């Protein structure tokens, strides 16, 4: 079967995903986003032990909704996903029951708790396609009332080829609550999470550092403020900071709301998680932007669930990229 299809503008082939598959994935992201917006599960949270990061009951519900769709659409593809059912079960029977109710509402059908736990743990098969899933990226943002994203990325032969980001609180192209999706050979598009017109997105053309707007995390502990300040001064970045949680930062670069996103690590042994970058990287590439690490190397998505071989992440509209890399090399 010829799996290549054309994009909505009929221009180029789209990895090996079919248009119908993309449609079903977009639908699943919308449903997962609705769960996060409407369910009480999104305000029920606790701290997981390993990294002391917050997790909500909605993280598990959204992952169940997303992986249920992958099982239906691409059952043999491998999956890297943030949550596992054992952590949900540990939270207690009442939490499992609440998540099951939320998932049933999101998929508009009857579901059992066994199904929900099974969907959360689906990891697919082997092969050259890997889905990177962060059901709620930016949980701290969600709990603070700020940005968060439902992130689904597809890595094919080590390259991010497709991404979908549901951003329920992001304001873009005159819409409040958006679904941004696309990839390098597909182009990148935005639509309201509620559905409606699909519009193409392109990165900004800003080449003058004095006008460049730079994105950063709200959580300063997720970066290196001192290094960021030195880069800003050396490059002469003058458009100001835009602080956003989660991969909504990638959507902001793709839409030209900002021109640079520099993510240094805050400690030498930190390695970025694949599901925090795969969807965003595909989307920015599809909108004409550029993604490397702080040494100018391509992100290596082949080393498991972390970017083991990369130092931080640099995302840009393109024209500003080499200036920032040069400054980073000079700073050392
Ligand atoms: P942000 O919203 O940009 O602050 O990024 C949120 C993501 O940061 C979460 O999904 C975590 O996976 C990730 N994260 C957690 N700890 C760190 C850390 N020490 N450095 C960088 N990222 C981290
Ligand atoms: Mg995350």
């Amino acid at each position: 079967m010829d799996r290549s299809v054309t994009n909505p503008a009929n221009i180029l082939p789209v990895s090996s995903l079919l248009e119908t598959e993309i449609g079903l994935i977009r639908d699943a992201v919308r449903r997962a986003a609705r769960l996060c917006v409407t369910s009480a599960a999104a305000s029920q949270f606790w701290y997981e032990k390993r990294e002391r990061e917050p997790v909500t009951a909605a993280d598990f519900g959204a992952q169940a909704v997303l992986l249920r769709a992958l099982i239906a659409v691409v059952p043999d593809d491998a999956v890297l996903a943030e949550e596992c059912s054992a952590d949900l079960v540990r939270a207690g029977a009442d939490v499992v029951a609440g998540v099951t109710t939320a998932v049933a509402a999101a998929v508009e059908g009857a579901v059992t708790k066994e199904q929900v736990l099974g969907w959360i743990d689906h990891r697919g098969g082997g092969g050259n396609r890997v889905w990177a899933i962060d059901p709620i990226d930016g949980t701290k943002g969600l709990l603070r009332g700020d940005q968060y994203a439902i992130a689904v990325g597809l890595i094919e032969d080590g390259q991010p080829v497709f991404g979908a980001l549901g951003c329920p609180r992001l304001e873009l192209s005159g819409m409040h609550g958006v679904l941004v999706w696309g990839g390098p050979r597909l182009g990148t598009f935005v639509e309201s999470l509620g559905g409606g017109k699909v519009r193409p997105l392109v990165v900004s053309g800003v080449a003058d550092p004095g006008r460049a707007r730079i994105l950063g995390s709200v959580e300063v502990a997720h970066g290196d403020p001192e290094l960021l300040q030195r880069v800003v001064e050396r490059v002469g970045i003058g458009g100001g900071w835009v602080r956003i949680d989660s991969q909504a930062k990638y959507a902001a670069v793709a839409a030209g709301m900002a021109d640079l996103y520099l993510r240094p690590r805050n400690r030498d042994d930190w390695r970025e998680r694949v599901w925090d970058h795969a969807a965003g990287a595909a989307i920015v590439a599809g909108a004409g932007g550029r993604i490397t690490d702080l040494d100018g190397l391509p992100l290596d998505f082949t080393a498991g669930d972390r970017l083991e071989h990369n130092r931080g992440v640099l995302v840009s509209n393109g024209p500003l990229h080499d200036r920032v890399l040069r400054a980073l090399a000079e700073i050392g």
Side-chain angles (χ1 to χ4, degrees):
M1 179 175 56
D2 178 11
R3 293 177 63 86
S4 66
V5 294
T6 49
N7 73 9
N10 251 352
I11 302 170
L12 290 168
V14 182
S15 78
S16 57
L17 271 185
L18 297 168
E19 241 167 68
T20 49
E21 293 173 338
I22 291 175
L24 291 165
I25 305 295
R26 281 157 59 202
D27 176 68
V29 174
R30 270 194 216 102
R31 289 175 186 277
R34 200 178 313 141
L35 183 154
C36 295
V37 171
T38 60
S39 164
S43 49
Q44 196 173 15
F45 70 100
W46 59 95
Y47 287 87
E48 58 90 16
K49 289 198 193 70
R50 279 150 294 183
E51 305 261 0
R52 294 290 305 153
E53 288 174 52
V55 63
T56 75
D59 286 71
F60 297 93
Q63 182 161 314
V65 171
L66 297 172
L67 296 197
R68 172 181 175 270
L70 292 189
I71 292 164
V73 180
V74 285
D76 301 326
D77 288 1
V79 174
L80 290 171
E82 182 154 31
E83 313 304 341
C84 63
S85 72
D87 289 343
L88 173 58
V89 170
R90 250 195 305 278
D94 53 333
V95 184
V96 176
V99 168
T100 305
T101 305
V103 172
V107 304
E108 297 174 278
V111 303
T112 65
K113 90 173 181 212
E114 288 74 21
Q115 282 176 310
V116 169
L117 298 178
W119 293 333
I120 291 170
D121 287 340
H122 169 73
R123 293 298 182 270
N128 66 332
R129 302 208 319 185
V130 183
W131 292 84
I133 310 291
D134 196 343
I136 298 182
D137 180 19
T139 309
K140 288 176 183 164
L142 166 79
L143 294 171
R144 231 193 286 109
D146 290 332
Q147 296 299 330
Y148 65 99
I150 290 90
V152 174
L154 172 61
I155 299 157
E156 192 163 301
D157 298 319
Q159 302 293 327
V161 294
F162 174 79
L165 289 177
C167 304
R169 293 176 182 154
L170 191 63
E171 200 87 49
L172 216 68
S173 304
M175 293 174 261
H176 180 80
V178 291
L179 173 58
V180 178
W181 57 276
R185 291 185 296 160
L186 171 64
T188 292
F189 305 88
V190 64
E191 62 191 296
S192 164
L193 269 173
K197 200 166 179 290
V198 176
R199 295 174 213 180
L201 287 181
V202 283
V203 294
S204 79
V206 172
D208 170 10
R211 287 178 50 222
R213 296 149 299 174
I214 182 167
L215 284 157
S217 297
V218 178
E219 298 293 327
V220 283
H222 291 173
D224 179 344
E226 201 184 312
L227 177 63
L228 285 171
Q229 194 47 40
R230 291 177 71 189
V231 173
V232 165
E233 281 166 19
R234 188 171 275 263
V235 178
I237 296 167
W241 282 98
V242 186
R243 301 269 177 202
I244 312 185
D245 296 283
S246 84
Q247 277 169 88
K249 288 190 274 302
Y250 281 92
V253 174
M257 274 170 66
D259 316 296
L260 283 168
Y261 166 28
L262 179 56
R263 188 181 184 91
R265 55 192 187 200
N266 71 334
R267 47 178 222 250
D268 278 352
D269 66 342
W270 174 260
R271 296 292 181 274
E272 293 290 334
R273 294 170 172 139
V274 160
W275 49 71
D276 284 341
H277 297 283
I283 281 166
V284 166
R290 202 173 148 198
I291 307 102
T292 66
D293 72 2
L294 269 50
D295 297 309
L297 297 171
L299 300 187
D300 180 350
F301 285 96
T302 64
D305 62 7
R306 301 252 178 185
L307 301 175
E308 293 293 345
H309 308 303
N310 294 110
R311 179 172 74 104
V313 177
L314 172 62
V315 182
S316 80
N317 63 347
L320 294 161
H321 209 93
D322 287 328
R323 298 277 292 264
V324 177
L325 285 178
R326 218 163 33 242
L328 282 162
E330 285 160 9
I331 292 166

